[in-house]
Amino acid sequence: MVCQHRSEMLLEEKDVRKHHLTNHVLHVHGTLEREMILGVNDPSQVNNTFLSGNKEFLDIFIKERLNRNLGQRRTENAKKLIDESDIICIFGMSIGCTDRMWWEKIMDWLHAAINHKLIVYYKDGCIRSSSQRMIRAKSEVKNKLADNMKKLNLGFTGIEEMKNKICVSYNPDIFNFQYECKGQPITMKILHLSDLHIGKTVNDFNMIEDQAYMLEQIIELIESKAPDAILLAGDIYDKPVPSEEAVRLLDGFLSRLSGMDVETFIISGNHDSDERLHFGSSLFAKNKIHIAARYDGHIYKKTCQDEYGPVNIFLLPFIKASQVKHFYPDAKIESYDDAVREALSHADLNTKERNILAAHQFVAGKSGDPAPGGSESAAVLHVGTVEKVGVDCFDDFDYAALGHIHAPQQVGRETVRYAGSPLKYSLSEAGRHKTAPFVTFGPKGEVSVELITLRPLRDMRHLKGKLEQLLDRKNITSPDDYIFATLTDEEPVSDVMAIFRQYYPNTMKIVYDNAHTRESEHLDITGITQEKTYPELIADFYRMMYGCEMNDEEMQIMKEVAKEAGVINETDEIDHECDRTVCGPDAGD
């Protein structure tokens, strides 16, 4: 176990007390309840000849390898905590060779700065603090520690100097101590996320690999920032019936979260299936994952504690006016705003305490609507007055963690905020940065928001220019990014997508911006379909666009495409030709 602790005091033996403090605990070898790691330091400590050459055995029995294979960066994060600490407290850790790596690290750290101190807790209920035996026992522990360092050949010079930097505390109640903090107060911290849209495709590109990368980055962020709670504000999946790989990805993510020292709160969004997301919620709650996917007339509430008292977290899944009207038929509910106000009026809310709400609605500020990211559904992009919710609905909450809009932004005050989607899902988001709000709560009325930049596996970019210029090798950067290209060439390039993907394999879409396309924006095509066959319509359109005639080969290609799409068939083509020739009004019987 590694504890992060900072202290400005000069620690002496007399300063070691029963309660020593930490803000974050990292169980580098797991816990009794979850992912406990047992093993040795390196292969040289495996005496069995057969097993010492068995890679699969070594991968699960060498502690550092197993930690690496678990993929949680425990070893790296623990070493980082050690480097950042002024004092390290040890209890329950063996002094033997199976923890050699950690003793090497601790000894290097102890030797690195004069103010570094090591506290070793030794449990022995028979020793009284006033006895001479206490003094002898402390000296014995220091000597034993020094002797073991010599046996391990750690190369630490100045044994007496080292012993002077080690404090030994006999404490029979060490496992009953309470967390306190003599420096910075322990305050509630949350990480606000939303709109994961797991399983989404963009222009036929499956985003699952990018989403897995982003979720791994979020896990690392949680490990480094150590929030007390994670809020996922809806649209967890992209579809009501998610794909198998989407379900697997979310399952793995939630499993990782359940093994961390953090509470996770999830609400459903308009893309989620309430029933599917709600399934297993009681079991999840036992593992610190709280899901509110169905509105049942009540708003889920959980109270957490920090140094300033209770912090109440409320979960309001995506709701429509009809859903709230079902539970409160006598209430006047004619809009989403009415529905949200009615639902919140029944919340167990104490305005003297600190309150947090997670919600998934279209929230409009007094100065206007939130700016969409562009990848939201059409219903969001063209929302009507009935669907909008006023920002003043959330005046009684210290922080409103919103989902629904993909562009990160505040609505009205800084503490009513859309986290936005962690990935870019449309061309309109190219050039923008994605962030995750990290929110710290002080006493009532004091809330600070830090926006942490999220970095994608592949960025989404927009390129514009002539084909030759864009594909000049000196101009090509980050070729694996997702690309939207606008070509300014006056003539269309045959098979341009295949050409572009030779340089940018993840090109999503190519359009033209030239004299022809700009002219077509002003064309009146309302009358060109009257009494025209399909080939005539296509020929007219091509002539308008490019100022020339289609050749026979191009026309045949368009006919084949139309047949495959079901726009025309062989009979239609023959009948249309007949109507225009032999079977016309002047033809004989």
Side-chain angles (χ1 to χ4, degrees), residues 68-316:
R68 184 171 61 248
N69 292 335
L70 286 173
Q72 298 181 17
R73 299 178 61 86
R74 286 175 176 168
T75 301
E76 294 88 339
N77 290 329
K79 288 181 177 180
K80 184 173 181 289
L81 285 179
I82 290 172
D83 289 335
E84 293 176 350
S85 297
D86 299 320
I87 300 170
I88 291 179
C89 307
I90 292 177
F91 58 88
M93 180 175 175
S94 71
I95 305 177
C97 60
T98 59
D99 282 322
R100 177 190 176 96
M101 178 184 71
W102 294 113
W103 282 114
E104 286 180 342
K105 181 64 182 175
I106 290 170
M107 290 301 108
D108 287 344
W109 165 86
L110 192 61
H111 191 54
I114 192 171
N115 66 312
H116 286 177
K117 299 286 184 178
L118 179 66
I119 301 174
V120 179
Y121 284 104
Y122 191 91
K123 179 173 179 171
D124 190 337
C126 299
I127 299 177
R128 298 181 59 187
S129 59
S130 59
S131 67
Q132 292 181 336
R133 184 180 172 189
M134 168 72 79
I135 300 172
R136 289 197 304 270
K138 286 186 177 183
S139 179
E140 288 171 3
V141 172
K142 286 188 178 184
N143 290 334
K144 181 179 179 182
L145 190 60
D147 289 343
N148 275 280
M149 295 307 102
K150 291 178 182 177
K151 291 177 183 178
L152 292 174
N153 297 318
L154 296 183
F156 190 89
T157 58
I159 294 296
E160 290 304 316
E161 175 192 349
M162 180 196 74
K163 286 167 35 175
N164 289 335
K165 299 176 79 174
I166 298 174
C167 304
V168 179
S169 175
Y170 274 89
N171 188 350
D173 296 321
I174 182 60
F175 294 104
N176 299 323
F177 72 88
Q178 300 294 316
Y179 288 110
E180 301 173 10
C181 190
K182 301 299 184 185
Q184 294 295 323
I186 299 175
T187 59
M188 182 75 177
K189 299 178 176 65
I190 67 167
L191 180 64
H192 172 196
L193 304 166
S194 74
D195 296 275
L196 303 182
H197 286 275
I198 297 176
K200 188 176 183 64
T201 59
V202 180
N203 288 77
D204 295 326
F205 280 81
N206 187 344
M207 304 296 288
I208 201 75
E209 183 183 6
D210 303 80
Q211 292 171 333
Y213 179 89
M214 181 55 67
L215 293 182
E216 183 62 35
Q217 186 177 152
I218 289 170
I219 290 290
E220 293 177 6
L221 178 60
I222 294 169
E223 290 177 335
S224 63
K225 299 290 287 186
D228 301 286
I230 312 299
L231 268 58
L232 290 169
D235 280 357
I236 310 304
Y237 288 120
D238 187 59
K239 297 178 180 178
V241 183
S243 65
E244 182 181 347
E245 63 180 356
V247 173
R248 281 201 307 268
L249 180 57
L250 180 63
D251 177 69
F253 179 59
L254 295 182
S255 295
R256 299 275 294 280
L257 290 179
S258 70
M260 305 174 77
D261 188 22
V262 64
E263 301 275 350
T264 301
F265 298 87
I266 302 173
I267 63 171
S268 61
N270 56 304
H271 279 251
D272 298 308
S273 163
D274 298 354
E275 295 297 330
R276 289 177 184 275
L277 200 58
H278 179 76
F279 180 78
S281 56
S282 298
L283 180 61
F284 279 121
K286 295 178 181 178
N287 290 280
K288 300 180 295 185
I289 297 174
H290 312 278
I291 301 175
R294 297 186 306 186
Y295 179 69
D296 59 2
H298 302 87
I299 296 182
Y300 180 97
K301 174 185 177 181
K302 182 174 175 61
T303 300
C304 303
Q305 294 281 339
D306 69 4
E307 190 164 307
Y308 296 111
V311 181
N312 305 308
I313 299 177
F314 296 86
L315 303 182
L316 178 64

Side-chain angles (χ1 to χ4, degrees), residues 488-556:
T488 57
D489 301 76
E490 289 299 327
E491 297 299 325
V493 179
S494 178
D495 207 11
V496 66
M497 181 62 81
I499 295 173
F500 221 89
R501 284 180 175 168
Q502 291 179 15
Y503 299 85
Y504 291 100
N506 295 314
T507 300
M508 288 189 159
K509 189 174 183 179
I510 298 176
V511 297
Y512 284 90
D513 180 15
N514 53 33
H516 298 303
T517 59
R518 288 190 289 273
E519 182 181 351
S520 67
E521 294 176 1
H522 306 290
L523 290 177
D524 181 10
I525 63 172
T526 56
I528 69 172
T529 62
Q530 297 176 1
E531 297 186 10
K532 295 283 182 87
T533 66
Y534 174 80
E536 289 172 334
L537 287 173
I538 293 298
D540 288 348
F541 180 76
Y542 190 92
R543 192 180 306 110
M544 285 180 169
M545 288 293 296
Y546 300 110
C548 61
E549 300 295 331
M550 290 182 75
N551 59 40
D552 292 341
E553 182 180 0
E554 290 171 330
M555 179 60 74
Q556 187 58 38

Side-chain angles (χ1 to χ4, degrees), residues 3-7 9 20-23 84-87 89:
C3 303
Q4 188 173 32
H5 179 81
R6 291 183 175 275
S7 175
M9 69 181 179
H20 227 61
L21 297 181
T22 178
N23 291 334
E84 293 176 350
S85 297
D86 299 320
I87 300 170
C89 307

